[in-house]
Amino acid sequence: MGERCEICPRPRVDGSQLCRYHQLAYNRLRKAFESWREALDVDWRDFLEEVLKLPQLGEWAREVALNMLKQPQ
Amino acid sequence: MKRILVICEKPMAARRVAHALDDGGAPREERKFGVSYFISRREGIELMVVSALGHLFTVAGKGRGLSYPIFETRWIPVQEKTRGRASHHLRLIEVLARTADEFVSACDYDIEGSLIAYNILAHILPAERLRDAGRMRFSSLTKEALVEAWRTRSSTLDYPMIMAGKARHEVDWIFGINLSRALMNSVKRATGSHRSMSIGRVQGPTLNFVREREVEIRTFVPTPFWSLEAYAELNGKRYRLEYEGPRIVNEREALEIASKCDGGDGYVEMLSSESRTVLPPPPFSLGDLQLEAHRLFGYSPAKTLKIAESLYLKALISYPRTSSQRIPPSIDLREILGGLRLIKAYRGLTEELLSRAHLRVREGIRDDPAHPAIHPTGYYEKGLRPQERGLFDLICRRFMASMGDPAHLLETDALIDVGGYHFHLRGRRTIDHGWMRMYTPPSEGGEETLPPLEMGGIIRGISVRAERRTTRPPPRFDQASLLKLMEREEIGTKSTRSEIIETLYKRGYIEGTSIRLTELGLAVVDALSQYCPEILSPELTRYLEKQLERIQASEVTPDQVVEEAVERLKPSLFKLKEGELQVGLEISIALRSSSQAGEYLGPCPKCKTGEMRIIRNMRTGKRFAGCSNYLRGICSNSFPLPQRGEIKACGEACPICGAPLITLKRGKTYKLCINQDCTFGKEGRKHGRKM
């Protein structure tokens, strides 16, 4: 079996540390960040902390956001 | 004396047929092999009315074991697969057939009913006698309908319908057995142990719908927007105004508009009133009834079908497995309303309808060549169970409403300028309730009467605030909305859709009232999407449905359709076989995490993102409800649970504290909140609310 996702036991997609679902969640976080920056002029870290407070944030997106926050700036 | 064997689908239907056809209305009931049958006398003929028990024959493969692919099929009596009463019914029919001169099918008039009788008759009769078997066609089990069906019975069975039914069963069996075995073999190869799994022609695309929604929800990232909350006070009453502009996605802009408008005066720039006509709804098709019963009573589609079938067997409603929204002219509306008039609750409404010179049902678009829309027969019996009574009332009211007058609403809209920004003040009043007096529509909102307004008038002191909100993920499916999607995508049939959803629950692929895809469901659908995406596509299923319909229209033969289905399936099976080990490994990981996860009870009331699940303490073996986010270090919310009795999720949040509600079955059934500090159902009771 190939290498596993950084967050879950699913296989990684090519060129990423994440599986297809966590990669999709990451892409959506990046896209949503643009809207947040335009709306509230926040930086990436503040954005992640803000969205983590929201119950509507999807489970996989939450896992990615937490994983990103653990990483050094 | 001439003897005719009449075969019905279910025991209750046989009783009704026997009573309806007996000249004196009192057939003789006899028993053999523990099964009742009836002897009726009609115009000098003896009728032996006997029942099946649904299907007495089923599709099986040739050969043994769990190997695949397997494309050869045969029909066998169900008792060869399962022991049960079905074998007694078949034995009785075989014995009675020896003394019969003629044979008539009185099974439900649809594909399944036609196939049930055909399989029995084909088993007991030589081909030349099978050709002479007749068919009664009816849409309700009232005496009048059955006598008419007897009088007009055809001299042959409905072969196009039978052939379509046979092919459907064979195609579904071939898809189901091969794909399910492919999954089971892959798990066995990866783990060395057997696990019962299934996937089928309709299950696949249905599960994929849930997967697509689940991915949307789990990867959803909310984005902020601002809404302008505007209120005006007129004649001492507060009215809400709607901002006309597009959604505001920038905080600065929202605050700027709010500060410019707040406390300002509104100028009535335009005033319009429009009368809107709302036509009556058509009578129920099965899908419509299932959606409506879910909306009003929270019934699952399968439960609604079961209750409707019980009402049909009591001859209170017409045949429920119909996709029609139409009532043909042959149905006597006055007679039905005359019958319903005897029910006190409907007296006023029926009398109003009966006083009209002409009665016309507002029909829907969908039609079903075999049966009309679901409607009451005009009969009623006391002693119905509450759920039967509720559904019967719904069907009667919808039927009456479909003959009602259109309703008329007056909608008022005032366009108000506040500081250069436009807001709407909308009102709605019903001028004539029409059919709405008989039936409450689902989508029509409440009334809002506006005070008298004039063009150019001024509304003083409008309050405007900018409120930050965030976008929401799409809602999860419930059984009704999933069924609606299946209907829209034309996969499955009106009779099978609710069963397919039930199967997905039974297999552990989906869970909860608000449907969640389990890890196992996700692993199965992922494996299929990687190796055989065609199996998950609604196109293939839809195409095969059309082909099956074409058999009924005698445009293709059943063999052609079965062969084509096999050819479409083969490449998928070979690809699955190639990736067997990989598929097995992925599914086994999901199986492990599913078994660790515990049964889902509902969302966590504390962190809002985790799931409350039943978890067992590894050391003591005691069960408790714990949040799934515990393992991620996010939430440690937990509640103790009763240690005895069967616990099931209710699918509802507690109205008091928001924690999931459960049912506890311990002798009696109790509805409880898992939060022991909550007062739900505890007023004067120790163990929660008795159901």
Side-chain angles (χ1 to χ4, degrees):
Chain A
M1 288 175 85
E3 285 192 281
R4 297 281 157 191
C5 170
E6 261 185 13
I7 297 170
C8 73
R10 284 188 201 90
R12 288 179 185 180
V13 289
D14 288 343
S16 169
Q17 307 291 310
L18 301 173
C19 67
R20 59 196 282 211
Y21 294 125
H22 283 112
Q23 182 62 40
L24 179 63
Y26 173 76
N27 296 345
R28 293 204 167 151
L29 276 164
R30 296 273 5 159
K31 196 173 166 205
F33 172 56
E34 295 304 317
S35 304
W36 278 81
R37 194 164 57 180
E38 219 162 272
L40 289 159
D41 197 21
V42 289
D43 65 18
W44 174 245
R45 220 174 162 76
D46 287 344
F47 156 68
L48 292 177
E49 280 167 2
E50 276 295 311
V51 287
L52 278 167
K53 289 179 200 160
L54 298 171
Q56 302 96 314
L57 182 68
E59 198 177 311
W60 290 329
R62 182 172 298 276
E63 287 165 348
V64 174
L66 283 169
N67 192 48
M68 308 284 311
L69 280 177
K70 274 188 219 151
Q71 288 169 7
Q73 286 188 6
Chain B
M1 186 189 287
K2 187 172 167 183
R3 303 182 96 188
I4 301 180
L5 183 70
V6 181
I7 299 173
C8 302
E9 195 166 318
K10 293 186 185 91
M12 181 91 138
R15 185 178 290 275
R16 293 226 166 257
V17 170
H19 277 81
L21 298 187
D22 186 75
D23 286 332
R28 197 169 76 238
E29 184 171 355
E30 298 203 353
R31 273 178 94 79
K32 213 177 178 82
F33 310 126
V35 178
S36 285
Y37 67 100
F38 299 87
I39 304 292
S40 302
R41 287 182 191 279
R42 183 167 191 83
E43 294 157 358
I45 302 171
E46 187 174 287
L47 308 178
M48 297 178 287
V49 184
V50 65
S51 84
L53 211 56
H55 280 285
L56 297 186
F57 289 81
T58 186
V59 185
K62 291 179 181 169
R64 285 166 177 272
L66 280 177
S67 62
Y68 75 97
I70 173 168
F71 301 124
E72 297 273 306
T73 60
R74 65 197 168 106
W75 285 81
I76 58 164
V78 286
Q79 69 261 27
E80 284 184 25
K81 278 192 159 181
T82 53
R83 289 166 195 277
R85 287 197 301 141
S87 61
H88 303 303
H89 283 255
L90 188 58
R91 254 176 87 197
L92 173 65
I93 295 170
E94 281 171 337
V95 169
L96 295 180
R98 284 181 208 140
T99 60
D101 304 300
E102 278 180 33
F103 301 86
V104 171
S105 161
C107 290
D108 292 342
Y109 183 50
D110 62 7
I111 284 181
E112 298 304 322
S114 299
L115 186 59
I116 288 168
Y118 169 81
N119 277 331
I120 295 169
L121 291 169
H123 176 73
I124 58 177
L125 295 179
E128 65 277 7
R129 291 196 73 194
L130 182 61
R131 272 198 298 272
D132 299 330
R135 176 69 159 124
M136 282 169 68
R137 296 181 174 91
F138 47 88
S139 286
S140 77
L141 289 174
T142 60
K143 183 177 165 96
E144 299 77 18
L146 291 169
V147 168
E148 182 61 12
W150 176 259
R151 196 182 63 77
T152 57
R153 67 187 185 276
S154 65
S155 57
T156 60
L157 299 175
D158 335 277
Y159 283 99
M161 228 186 228
I162 291 163
M163 291 304 123
K166 267 190 91 185
R168 176 183 294 281
H169 278 259
E170 287 168 17
V171 167
D172 284 348
W173 187 88
I174 289 168
F175 267 69
I177 203 80
N178 284 293
L179 292 169
S180 303
R181 284 185 179 183
L183 291 180
M184 287 190 282
N185 282 357
S186 62
V187 171
K188 189 160 189 192
R189 195 167 156 198
T191 64
S193 56
H194 173 77
R195 157 94 194 193
S196 204
M197 297 182 81
S198 79
I199 198 76
R201 187 175 66 86
V202 187
Q203 269 186 60
T206 309
L207 194 59
N208 199 36
F209 293 145
V210 181
R211 193 262 300 248
E212 283 170 0
R213 181 64 57 92
E214 189 73 36
V215 171
E216 277 298 306
I217 294 169
R218 290 203 207 178
T219 59
F220 183 79
V221 184
T223 52
F225 68 92
W226 283 260
S227 76
L228 293 172
E229 296 296 310
Y231 291 93
E233 201 162 304
L234 293 158
N235 298 346
K237 200 179 159 195
R238 207 163 175 245
Y239 293 90
R240 190 170 183 275
L241 277 68
E242 288 167 38
Y243 178 57
E244 192 193 46
R247 179 179 274 191
I248 306 166
V249 291
N250 183 287
E251 187 178 34
R252 215 175 312 114
E253 187 190 342
L255 293 174
E256 196 182 308
I257 300 174
S259 74
K260 276 186 188 167
C261 300
D262 189 35
D265 293 342
Y267 167 74
V268 182
E269 202 174 286
M270 218 158 67
L271 200 58
S272 64
S273 283
E274 204 174 293
S275 164
R276 188 160 69 88
T277 302
V278 186
L279 294 173
F284 282 129
S285 66
L286 176 61
D288 297 339
L289 177 65
Q290 286 169 317
L291 290 177
E292 204 61 342
H294 183 269
R295 180 181 74 87
L296 293 168
F297 311 132
Y299 294 165
S300 71
K303 184 172 179 173
T304 300
L305 179 57
K306 200 172 159 198
I307 302 169
E309 278 186 332
S310 142
L311 292 171
Y312 163 71
L313 287 171
K314 288 177 177 166
L316 303 183
I317 63 164
S318 61
Y319 190 59
R321 290 176 191 247
T322 175
S323 37
S324 175
Q325 296 173 315
R326 295 172 177 215
I327 302 283
S330 58
I331 289 174
D332 191 337
L333 301 173
R334 283 186 188 278
E335 201 178 316
I336 295 172
L337 290 172
L340 293 181
R341 193 180 155 274
L342 302 176
I343 302 169
K344 204 174 156 191
Y346 306 145
R347 192 161 299 152
L349 300 174
T350 48
E351 280 177 0
E352 186 196 314
L353 289 169
L354 285 166
S355 68
R356 296 178 182 183
H358 298 288
L359 285 173
R360 221 182 112 233
V361 172
R362 195 213 152 205
E363 299 189 318
I365 301 163
R366 284 198 296 275
D367 200 4
D368 186 327
H371 295 283
I374 302 170
H375 62 274
T377 56
Y379 290 93
Y380 184 67
E381 65 176 47
K382 286 187 177 164
L384 291 183
R385 285 172 304 166
Q387 292 179 340
E388 289 176 327
R389 219 167 34 233
L391 203 71
F392 178 74
D393 181 58
L394 187 65
I395 292 165
C396 290
R397 287 185 181 278
R398 177 78 165 225
F399 175 68
M400 290 188 282
S402 71
M403 287 177 265
D405 291 325
H408 295 285
L409 312 174
L410 184 70
E411 292 179 332
T412 315
D413 181 9
L415 180 68
I416 297 163
D417 181 302
V418 188
Y421 295 93
H422 282 142
F423 292 82
H424 286 275
L425 177 56
R426 296 185 212 270
R428 211 178 78 140
R429 198 160 52 87
T430 309
I431 306 165
D432 180 0
H433 284 84
W435 60 271
M436 289 185 190
R437 280 182 295 117
M438 304 172 199
Y439 188 86
T440 315
S443 53
E444 302 300 328
E447 303 258 310
E448 178 71 281
T449 311
L450 296 186
L453 292 168
E454 280 175 16
M455 282 267 281
I458 301 289
I459 303 170
R460 303 274 174 212
I462 292 176
S463 76
V464 182
R465 266 184 315 122
E467 284 212 356
R468 188 172 122 182
R469 304 195 186 281
T470 42
T471 51
R472 297 186 159 274
R476 290 189 180 280
F477 286 114
D478 53 32
Q479 291 197 42
S481 57
L482 185 57
L483 183 119
K484 196 174 179 181
L485 181 62
M486 291 168 80
E487 198 173 278
R488 202 183 70 205
E489 292 287 333
E490 296 173 61
I491 61 166
T493 67
K494 54 191 177 275
S495 310
T496 58
R497 286 180 192 121
S498 53
E499 285 168 29
I500 297 285
I501 298 174
E502 294 276 302
T503 307
L504 296 179
Y505 275 106
K506 278 188 203 147
R507 294 294 174 206
Y509 298 157
I510 57 174
E511 60 185 7
T513 317
S514 180
I515 297 175
R516 293 182 56 88
L517 188 68
T518 63
E519 286 303 311
L520 177 61
L522 184 64
V524 167
V525 80
D526 271 351
L528 294 174
S529 71
Q530 196 177 346
Y531 292 95
C532 43
E534 206 187 19
I535 299 301
L536 299 177
S537 99
E539 281 77 33
L540 174 63
T541 303
R542 204 162 33 225
Y543 173 75
L544 289 172
E545 292 290 348
K546 294 272 176 239
Q547 289 293 84
L548 292 165
E549 281 169 23
R550 289 182 68 206
I551 299 175
Q552 220 170 315
S554 305
E555 292 169 8
V556 282
T557 67
D559 286 348
Q560 279 173 316
V561 175
V562 175
E563 272 168 33
E564 188 183 0
V566 166
E567 289 311 311
R568 301 284 290 258
L569 178 64
K570 272 180 185 171
S572 300
L573 285 178
F574 294 135
K575 273 189 252 165
L576 266 178
K577 193 125 197 159
E578 270 171 29
E580 203 169 71
L581 182 62
Q582 188 65 27
V583 169
L585 286 170
E586 297 297 337
I587 293 175
S588 62
I589 290 169
L591 278 170
R592 269 205 300 279
S593 65
S594 281
S595 66
Q596 282 164 4
E599 195 188 329
Y600 174 73
L601 295 177
C604 173
K606 193 174 169 190
C607 69
K608 315 271 186 210
T609 60
E611 300 163 352
M612 296 309 293
R613 289 183 172 271
I614 301 175
I615 298 167
R616 283 206 179 265
N617 183 304
M618 298 280 271
R619 194 171 53 80
T620 62
K622 288 191 172 178
R623 64 186 174 187
F624 64 98
C627 177
S628 60
N629 274 341
Y630 178 75
L631 292 173
R632 299 185 187 108
I634 302 169
C635 179
S636 59
N637 196 18
S638 69
F639 299 101
L641 289 174
Q643 296 304 311
R644 287 185 298 117
E646 187 190 345
I647 291 177
K648 281 213 152 92
C650 280
E652 298 168 42
C654 172
I656 300 169
C657 72
L661 294 179
I662 53 169
T663 56
L664 172 68
K665 201 172 172 185
R666 197 161 66 190
K668 290 170 183 158
T669 303
Y670 300 92
K671 196 170 187 178
L672 303 169
C673 174
I674 61 168
N675 179 2
Q676 78 278 19
D677 297 329
C678 175
T679 55
F680 176 81
K682 283 187 182 158
E683 304 85 21
R685 293 186 194 93
K686 200 179 168 192
H687 293 296
R689 190 172 290 172
K690 202 162 79 182
M691 291 177 84

